[in-house]
Amino acid sequence: QVQLVESGGGLVQPGGSLRLSCAASGFIFSLYDMSWFRQAPGMEREFVARIKWSGDSTDYADSVKGRFIISRDNTKNTMYLQMKSLKPDDTAVYYCAAKYRFTATYGYWGQGTQVTVSS
């Protein structure tokens, strides 16, 4: 059974930091590109960051570049998102997603973790 389980969300003040984790099981994690998406209330889900299956390539949305770092540990089947200098606009439900390498469709999604940036 495939599972992606996000954790690490919460309430943080503007300028603060959080680290999200995404624990994967039920598939060969090291063969999948992994990404973070987010969805704010009333908004469409948007791409945040991606890391290649091998871990040697990353991409970021312009809105988080320089503030967020995506990483993965294939020995632990876990992906991370280190977020710093958080802004109220970063408030959203954050989802992790998995895409088999060399394909275009995300086949697996987590249930999401809430991040709220507020004073």
Side-chain angles (χ1 to χ4, degrees):
Q1 179 185 1
V2 171
Q3 278 195 308
L4 291 174
V5 180
E6 301 96 335
S7 62
L11 173 64
V12 62
Q13 292 188 341
S17 300
L18 278 177
R19 188 175 85 152
L20 305 183
S21 298
C22 172
S25 61
F27 64 99
I28 304 175
F29 181 75
S30 60
L31 297 182
Y32 282 71
D33 298 335
M34 297 296 296
S35 292
W36 288 98
F37 290 80
R38 67 186 181 185
Q39 188 167 20
M43 305 290 285
E44 292 190 356
R45 187 164 53 192
E46 65 175 359
F47 167 78
V48 175
R50 179 185 68 86
I51 186 165
K52 191 177 174 181
W53 56 275
S54 55
D56 60 357
S57 177
T58 57
D59 293 303
Y60 296 91
D62 287 343
S63 59
V64 307
K65 218 171 273 187
R67 299 188 298 121
F68 291 9
I69 298 175
I70 189 171
S71 62
R72 65 190 296 162
D73 185 340
N74 285 352
T75 67
K76 297 181 178 179
N77 290 351
T78 303
M79 173 180 66
Y80 305 95
L81 186 68
Q82 179 67 51
M83 306 185 293
K84 65 178 184 179
S85 303
L86 283 161
K87 307 173 182 179
D89 284 350
D90 295 317
T91 295
V93 177
Y94 284 71
Y95 300 90
C96 65
K99 176 177 71 68
Y100 186 71
R101 61 182 185 176
F102 313 135
T103 66
T105 303
Y106 287 92
Y108 306 136
W109 291 84
Q111 83 291 345
T113 186
Q114 176 72 47
V115 171
T116 303
V117 184
S118 175
S119 54

